[in-house]
Amino acid sequence: GENVEQHPSTLSVQEGDSAVIKCTYSDSASNYFPWYKQELGKGPQLIIDIRSNVGEKKDQRIAVTLNKTAKHFSLHITETQPEDSAVYFCAAHSGSARQLTFGSGTQLTVLP
Amino acid sequence: GAVVSQHPSRVICKSGTSVKIECRSLDFQATTMFWYRQFPKQSLMLMATSNEGSKATYEQGVEKDKFLINHASLTLSTLTVTSAHPEDSSFYICSAKPSERVYEQYFGPGTRLTVT
């Protein structure tokens, strides 16, 4: 089955700097890659996603890149703000499995 | 759009009792809903996949008789934790996949269950 690895597990950045979180996946059949933001005591919130036929997608300060050949995808947050502090999860969807496989999560802390 | 609610948000129950958690898709129909369990500082663990009008599919190691799932309508799925024990204490989160979408899932706010 699919295996998703996520790095780093914790990340601290100064407000205004950029943050990058990376994930790798194992199943070459995976074709959908969402990113979720989870604040303490809340459910995950979908913040951006990308399909396998696209290499990059951007939404304001958030962007995701996908390298299908290397089987890795990354979340980029620019001009970070304290409210960006949360746990971020990447995931991969394999059509055959019909479910999402999640990474282990990254605790992002934006220092004021 | 794509709002999922859960009720209750927090519940405390005594050991041996049963607890029902509701998951509703508020502005879309969801043929498929998912139930996850999350331990502190860990990732989401899929417990079961719920399809409207049919039996749920449980992940390996999840007791189907302990975690009863019902998906009776296109907007409602319920998880009942039967004969709860302290080790069942956890954060339970549901997600719903809009019927017309292939991949996207939207999560509820979660339910904190504490069994005393």
Side-chain angles (χ1 to χ4, degrees), chain B residues 3 6 17 22 24 35 51 63 66 80 112 114-116:
Chain B
V3 179
Q6 271 184 251
T17 62
E22 291 186 349
R24 293 180 185 273
W35 286 95
N51 290 296
E63 299 175 61
K66 181 167 188 60
T80 301
R112 173 72 60 190
T114 303
V115 185
T116 61

Side-chain angles (χ1 to χ4, degrees), chain A residues 31-32 36 38 41-46 49 51 89 93-95 98-100 102-105, chain B residues 34 36 38 41-44 46 49 59 91 93 101-110 112:
Chain A
N31 46 19
Y32 173 68
Y36 290 89
Q38 186 178 27
K42 298 184 179 180
Q45 176 190 6
L46 178 65
D49 56 13
R51 306 279 176 106
F89 290 100
H93 190 290
S94 167
R98 300 185 182 179
Q99 66 189 47
L100 290 172
F102 285 87
S104 53
Chain B
F34 304 86
Y36 294 83
Q38 187 177 38
K41 298 186 183 300
Q42 293 192 21
S43 189
L44 294 90
L46 180 65
T49 300
E59 295 300 302
F91 193 51
I93 314 172
R101 302 287 181 89
V102 177
Y103 303 118
E104 288 90 334
Q105 286 183 36
Y106 299 94
F107 284 82
R112 173 72 60 190

